[in-house]
Amino acid sequence: MSLPTLVVLKFGGSVLDGGQAIPLAVREISGHLQKQERVIAVVSAFKNHTDALEKRAQHLCERPAPDAYAFYVGLGELYAAGELTLGLQGSGIPATIRTPWDVWLFSGGAPLNAQPVALSRHRFFDAFRNHRVVVFPGFVGRGGDGRPHLLGRGGSDLTAIFLAAELGADRCVLLKDTAGIFEWDPARDGSPPRRYSKLSWEDAIVLGSPVLKPAHVEYARSRRVTIEVTAPGTSYSTIVGDDASQFAAQREPEHPKPGHRE
């Protein structure tokens, strides 16, 4: 008997923007549930929420302890995860929420620029016992001493790649405000850039697109995780993995949106 399929969907802050953010995410997850049996939805904070929390933290304390700062700034992801879970449940989708502390997602390194290193597969998969969707906050880890860590800016991408590797996901999809990775920033003046339909890990590192941090591509390559970069509601994407790089066969009819770090 085949194992249930699993997809990791990461919702960046650039798509978690405005009053329609949660319904948009719910629709995206619902569409994937028609093809996959289980979904892990990794969420960033809502757009500009992390910046606001960082400014507020500095206002409250010029030199906060790293664990207190990590806890406070990471509240944006926890808030977004809670809202998405409620939105899914309100739409009749069996969903639950887990945190790094629930599944023992340990991280190491600098408290504000840590790396995920381990988690309990049993505790994570147990969340699927009565649910088809597990919502998980990105960007936040748990240090060996149990205190909060941050995984660095754009760390929700790293969370998604780590979970895909550790849990053997069939797909790892990073949902952003751009329908893939382009040869240069689409917002620049001049002729529109070509979209990559496939991009090798090595070429993605050299390209250094703001859509996907080279350090995260390096990590994906080390874990042999193929990444799909796309936007909600579009059929266009860029597959970043082991295959040779190639451009899409033809230019898209609509002008692509500029890429963001989340």
Side-chain angles (χ1 to χ4, degrees):
M1 185 175 66
S2 61
L3 293 173
T5 54
L6 174 66
V7 59
V8 176
L9 301 178
K10 181 264 180 176
F11 292 89
S14 59
V15 298
L16 294 177
D17 178 26
Q20 290 302 306
I22 295 301
L24 179 148
V26 170
R27 287 196 299 272
E28 188 72 22
I29 291 169
S30 179
H32 280 272
L33 285 175
Q34 296 176 18
K35 306 171 186 176
Q36 313 283 341
E37 295 179 63
R38 299 175 299 175
V39 171
I40 297 172
V42 176
V43 295
S44 297
F46 287 104
K47 189 173 183 179
N48 298 325
H49 197 175
T50 298
D51 291 338
L53 287 169
E54 287 181 335
K55 290 179 181 178
R56 179 61 178 165
Q58 291 298 321
H59 175 75
L60 292 168
C61 180
E62 289 186 3
R63 296 181 180 179
D67 59 340
Y69 184 84
F71 175 83
Y72 184 71
V73 174
L75 290 175
E77 276 68 21
L78 292 170
Y79 179 85
E83 286 225 350
L84 179 55
T85 305
L86 291 173
L88 288 163
Q89 293 176 355
S91 299
I93 295 174
T96 186
I97 186 171
R98 291 296 184 271
T99 70
W101 291 267
D102 296 326
V103 300
W104 299 346
L105 193 159
F106 289 105
S107 49
L112 303 183
N113 192 29
Q115 288 275 328
V117 295
L119 86 163
S120 168
R121 290 168 55 90
H122 170 75
R123 291 176 73 90
F124 208 110
F125 282 129
D126 189 61
F128 283 110
R129 188 180 301 275
N130 297 306
H131 306 91
R132 294 189 65 195
V133 181
V134 176
V135 181
F136 196 80
F139 186 45
V140 181
R142 171 188 177 184
D145 58 2
R147 296 180 181 181
H149 278 179
L150 296 181
L151 305 183
R153 273 308 186 112
S156 294
D157 281 356
L158 183 56
T159 301
I161 296 167
F162 171 75
L163 291 179
E166 290 290 313
L167 302 176
D170 299 273
R171 297 173 65 200
C172 180
V173 183
L174 307 183
L175 293 153
K176 299 171 180 282
D177 71 342
T178 178
I181 298 176
F182 296 81
E183 55 185 332
W184 62 74
D185 189 340
R188 283 169 43 184
D189 292 334
S191 60
R194 292 172 293 178
R195 176 181 58 84
Y196 288 97
S197 58
K198 295 181 180 180
L199 189 59
S200 70
W201 290 307
E202 293 77 13
D203 287 347
I205 292 167
V206 173
L207 183 65
S209 170
V211 173
L212 190 58
K213 291 179 65 173
H216 297 161
V217 181
E218 287 269 19
Y219 182 79
R221 180 174 64 174
S222 72
R223 300 298 306 269
R224 311 301 294 177
V225 174
T226 297
I227 305 165
E228 182 177 347
V229 178
T230 187
T234 181
S235 60
Y236 305 133
S237 67
T238 298
I239 306 297
V240 182
D242 198 28
D243 291 338
S245 299
Q246 65 181 49
F247 290 109
Q250 60 185 12
R251 299 186 189 278
E252 278 69 44
E254 75 270 14
H255 193 281
K257 297 179 181 179
H260 285 257
R261 64 186 176 195
E262 286 290 338

